[in-house]
Amino acid sequence: MKQFPLVLLATTTLAISSTADIHPAQAETCVAASSCREQSVKFVPGQRITVEVANLTSSVIKLQQVDVTDPLPVSPGQVLSFVRGGNTNPNFSAVLWDTQGLPLNVNIRKPEARVLRIEVLPSGRSPGVRAVYLQDDGRVEVM
């Protein structure tokens, strides 16, 4: 019976020392878009979708659908919405920039099956995001 506490102490010491080399998990925020993996957003090729562009910056941004529109101003807090896709205009391609020349970042969301939401945010890194493209295979690429 006197050996029981000694065995228990030795077992506990062995268990503690074997876990001493385990490093705790650390959570960090993504600072650069290149260091964060976003889940891929994908649509059915040729499917008609609603594109929402939400300006979440504090300045006016410009949005231009390549070969479709002239640059459109989007005020802070404004959400611009339009329909793209189908047989007549299968792809969506847009360039965006801050009117003050500040770098931008975007979050790409798919809140519903046929909705592409582009949330435009300020970025701390230059040059930032400049374009969003809906590829032929239905994937959304941010450049």
Side-chain angles (χ1 to χ4, degrees), residues 48-69:
R48 292 184 67 79
I49 63 170
T50 298
V51 178
E52 298 177 347
V53 179
N55 182 357
L56 304 180
T57 72
S58 59
S59 60
V60 174
I61 63 167
K62 294 273 184 145
L63 170 75
Q64 182 175 6
Q65 293 182 61
V66 179
D67 296 332
V68 178
T69 66

Side-chain angles (χ1 to χ4, degrees), residues 39-100:
Q39 285 191 334
S40 166
V41 172
K42 189 170 182 176
F43 294 92
V44 175
Q47 178 183 51
R48 292 184 67 79
I49 63 170
T50 298
V51 178
E52 298 177 347
V53 179
N55 182 357
L56 304 180
T57 72
S58 59
S59 60
V60 174
I61 63 167
K62 294 273 184 145
L63 170 75
Q64 182 175 6
Q65 293 182 61
V66 179
D67 296 332
V68 178
T69 66
D70 289 332
L72 302 170
V74 186
S75 299
Q78 182 182 0
V79 177
L80 189 64
S81 191
F82 48 91
V83 176
R84 292 293 294 169
N87 293 333
T88 57
N89 51 12
N91 293 356
F92 166 76
S93 177
V95 201
L96 46 100
W97 64 94
D98 184 286
T99 57
Q100 297 176 18

